[in-house]
Amino acid sequence: VAMRVEAMETTLVTGLSVTPGKGELFVHCGDCEHIVACTAIQRISEEDRALPRSAFPRQVARVRPLTRRCHICDRVTAIWGTYNDIMAKHMPGFFCKNCFLKAHYSPDGTLFDPTFRCFPYHHDAN
């Protein structure tokens, strides 16, 4: 099965093929997978018709971002996430820039353990 890859930031709802109740695969951070299903589709009402097209899709709720702190210093917001990392307390592990570099690289820039995987971490939605 061929999968289409689209950037969330530039994809419009009108460009999606949506079937109510059918799950679609959503992948982020490289390999974190979620099944997302649309449960309701609504026709535009007469009241909505008076609004400009730019008013759609309407945002009905705003999720406050959940930022994670570094697992080492526990003071600074994490910007790196890791998997299969011996330096992490948990999986995935989360690190600020300074702790990530100190925990994973020697002073001469050599990677201590090349088997772990890392990804830029932005934030989670709670």
Side-chain angles (χ1 to χ4, degrees):
V1 174
M3 281 199 226
R4 228 177 57 200
V5 177
E6 302 284 340
M8 279 182 31
E9 298 81 10
T10 56
T11 302
L12 300 175
V13 172
T14 56
L16 300 176
S17 171
V18 178
T19 304
K22 179 181 177 220
E24 298 289 339
L25 181 64
F26 168 65
V27 182
H28 65 103
C29 295
D31 64 354
C32 190
E33 299 180 349
H34 304 272
I35 300 295
V36 178
C38 180
T39 57
I41 298 175
Q42 214 172 315
R43 288 191 178 267
I44 296 175
S45 69
E46 288 303 318
E47 179 184 300
D48 292 337
R49 243 179 248 293
L51 298 171
R53 288 195 85 163
S54 61
F56 298 96
R58 271 198 203 172
Q59 183 175 2
V60 294
R62 184 173 206 81
V63 179
R64 204 177 77 214
L66 169 69
T67 57
R68 295 179 188 263
R69 290 193 307 228
C70 174
H71 283 171
I72 293 178
C73 69
D74 198 34
R75 291 181 297 121
V76 181
T77 300
I79 63 165
W80 287 103
T82 62
Y83 287 105
N84 302 324
D85 184 1
I86 60 172
M87 299 305 293
K89 294 179 190 175
H90 309 282
M91 191 163 95
F94 294 98
F95 301 89
C96 67
K97 180 181 179 180
N98 191 42
C99 291
F100 177 81
L101 294 174
K102 286 181 179 178
H104 296 92
Y105 291 89
S106 68
D108 69 356
T110 305
L111 189 60
F112 291 131
D113 177 16
T115 61
F116 80 98
R117 294 183 336 205
C118 65
F119 57 91
Y121 171 73
H122 302 288
H123 63 79
D124 295 329
N126 56 352

